[in-house]
Amino acid sequence: VLLWGPRDEAPAPDGSRRRDTQCGLFAIGKVLRHFNVPFTYIRNSDIDDPSFSRGVIDFIKVCNVVKIFKHTRILQIGTRPFDFWSVIVNEGELLEKFGIQLSPIPLGELTSYMYKLIDEEDPRIEETKDVYRKWADIKIKDEDFTKVAALKLAMQDKMNEYGCNAGTIQCWTELQREIGILPYASEALLQTEGMPVTCETDINGAISEILAESATLGDERALFADVNCRHPENENGELLQHLGTFAFQTAKNRPVLPPSHFVFDYPGSAAFEVKDGTYTLVRFDGDHGKYSMLIGNAKTCDGPYEQGTYAWFEFKDLNRFEAKYVYGPYIHHMAGVRADVVPILAEACKYINVAPDYYDPIKDKVAAYWYGDLDTILDDDQK
């Protein structure tokens, strides 16, 4: 529900007035509260005021977040890796609290289908390889390249078969023993095409990606990154990276599919640095029946070269960000988009029964975003 009323004209010369808009707004707000109806308010303004058009467009983004969140089904390929206790989720709670469904399948169902595509020489494999060539420089053997393309198609087909809008995969190490490649370049192209797939069977990570992308109306593709280590020189700098899962649209330089990665000596990763800019970072997570969404902004900064897909981010206070992660309920995976959608995601929280959480002290600023004056709320970059 969006609540807005036009600003009243000046009283007529005889002292009469045509309406009392604020009287109605205040009454409606109270009645909506009586019936426990959450709503978003745009400040009392003229219809040609910038805050009105901004408010309507932003509310559409909020609606998109809520709609996609409530209609999410995630393909779970394999179990979580044994050591990753951090990615444990409560499937029943996700369904009962939010309507989020999981579609679990064993790794073998995916890999056998992948080999079936290769054995039958599915023509889409060569078409997919051509798509990769448009995006990236290919530095792996053609046999392995065929597997990368076939794995991408296999995950895509299984997501469609089970009616899923996102996926997760047990990305190591059984997968490498079965097919001899890493899945990350396959994930990268799926991410590029708007089908997020996360690693280490991180269900809440996939939800984080969905939230981040939907807040931009799909204009920006999300990163899915490990939050890894501090910058060697910048006290507020932090490395966010992965072995190649980032969407190709996020690349600053031309992507490469390298022969291997230092973590796993297999082909199937991708490598590039992400575009510069201000990003919104997002992590949806929970435990003990309570769920929250960690959100905030960070700007890219210069840093050392890193294998895989990566970005160095500068935070306002890295110690504060680090403490949020240590105390939880968050883990080392995070989604990010090259846009400031913190107010959108925070507003969406009231409609999905998730607590907004901030790693910077911006709660009041975010709340005022919806009803304040643009000149007092936005900094120069945002304007």
Side-chain angles (χ1 to χ4, degrees):
V1 174
L2 180 63
L3 179 58
W4 167 83
R7 186 168 180 170
D8 295 336
E9 301 90 348
D14 65 359
S16 62
R17 288 179 291 111
R18 297 177 63 187
R19 57 178 176 263
D20 297 302
T21 299
Q22 285 184 320
C23 179
L25 290 171
F26 301 156
I28 292 169
K30 178 65 172 178
V31 174
L32 290 172
R33 286 179 57 86
H34 276 311
F35 285 91
N36 297 310
V37 176
F39 64 93
T40 295
Y41 173 63
I42 299 176
R43 72 185 180 95
N44 180 217
S45 62
D46 293 324
I47 200 166
D48 58 356
D49 189 294
S51 65
F52 173 78
S53 56
R54 176 180 64 90
V56 171
I57 292 169
D58 284 348
F59 184 68
I60 290 170
K61 294 177 181 178
V62 170
C63 292
N64 194 51
V65 173
V66 176
K67 178 185 70 174
I68 294 175
F69 179 83
K70 290 185 175 181
H71 294 86
T72 283
R73 181 183 289 173
I74 298 171
L75 183 69
Q76 179 184 332
I77 307 168
T79 61
R80 66 174 175 86
F82 171 77
D83 296 311
F84 275 62
W85 289 61
S86 57
V87 300
I88 290 173
V89 297
N90 187 320
E91 180 180 352
E93 275 190 355
L94 289 176
L95 181 61
E96 294 159 4
K97 286 178 175 288
F98 309 117
I100 293 174
Q101 303 176 33
L102 304 186
S103 297
I105 66 171
L107 270 178
E109 180 175 339
L110 177 75
T111 56
S112 62
Y113 180 71
M114 183 199 86
Y115 279 121
K116 179 175 180 287
L117 295 177
I118 294 173
D119 292 341
E120 294 179 352
E121 298 182 349
D122 189 305
R124 296 179 300 159
I125 293 176
E126 290 303 319
E127 294 169 3
T128 301
K129 290 165 75 172
D130 286 340
V131 174
Y132 272 107
R133 293 185 184 102
K134 291 177 182 177
W135 282 109
D137 294 333
I138 312 304
K139 304 293 185 182
I140 59 178
K141 297 177 182 178
D142 191 64
E143 177 185 356
D144 294 326
F145 189 24
T146 295
K147 290 181 181 180
V148 168
L151 181 61
K152 182 267 182 185
L153 290 170
M155 288 193 283
Q156 172 186 302
D157 288 355
K158 289 297 176 180
M159 288 169 70
N160 289 331
E161 178 183 343
Y162 289 94
C164 299
N165 61 327
T168 66
I169 186 169
Q170 181 188 339
C171 54
W172 56 273
T173 54
E174 179 59 29
L175 185 68
Q176 286 72 57
R177 283 194 286 266
E178 290 193 25
I179 63 175
I181 64 167
L182 300 167
Y184 307 112
S186 303
E187 292 176 60
L189 189 54
L190 286 167
Q191 307 267 29
T192 299
E193 296 176 356
M195 301 179 78
V197 179
T198 59
C199 306
E200 285 107 22
T201 326
D202 184 1
I203 304 294
N204 289 336
I207 296 170
S208 302
E209 276 206 82
I210 290 167
L211 290 165
E213 284 195 8
S214 59
T216 73
L217 296 180
D219 290 341
E220 295 288 337
R221 294 294 179 221
L223 312 174
F224 177 71
D226 277 11
V227 183
N228 271 126
C229 60
R230 287 176 175 258
H231 195 288
E233 298 171 350
N234 186 334
E235 284 301 309
N236 285 312
E238 180 79 13
L239 175 66
L240 271 68
Q241 66 83 37
H242 217 290
L243 278 75
T245 62
F246 298 0
F248 292 131
Q249 296 100 320
T250 65
K252 179 166 66 174
N253 52 297
R254 183 166 171 80
V256 175
L257 269 57
S260 66
H261 188 280
F262 76 90
V263 176
F264 296 113
D265 190 16
Y266 288 95
S269 62
F272 57 83
E273 187 176 6
V274 305
K275 294 176 182 176
D276 294 330
T278 297
Y279 285 70
T280 296
L281 302 180
V282 185
R283 177 69 196 186
F284 167 88
D285 222 321
D287 53 37
H288 299 85
K290 297 180 181 179
Y291 291 82
S292 57
M293 189 194 310
L294 184 65
I295 42 180
N297 297 123
K299 292 184 178 181
T300 54
C301 63
D302 292 334
Y305 165 73
E306 168 77 14
Q307 290 186 29
T309 47
Y310 74 99
W312 289 96
F313 282 104
E314 183 173 20
F315 293 81
K316 291 181 179 178
D317 187 334
L318 182 59
N319 293 335
R320 189 166 54 207
F321 173 81
E322 181 182 72
K324 275 287 185 183
Y325 256 77
V326 171
Y327 285 110
Y330 315 108
I331 69 166
H332 68 297
H333 288 159
M334 198 167 208
V337 283
R338 190 167 171 259
D340 184 1
V341 289
V342 170
I344 307 300
L345 293 168
E347 190 68 12
C349 283
K350 72 169 64 168
Y351 296 101
I352 60 177
N353 196 28
V354 172
D357 193 9
Y358 310 101
Y359 52 78
D360 287 324
I362 56 174
K363 181 179 179 179
D364 291 343
K365 183 178 180 181
V366 170
Y369 176 89
W370 288 92
Y371 53 78
D373 178 58
L374 286 173
D375 288 334
T376 60
I377 293 172
L378 304 181
D379 60 31
D380 290 338
D381 290 340
Q382 290 169 318
K383 291 174 188 176

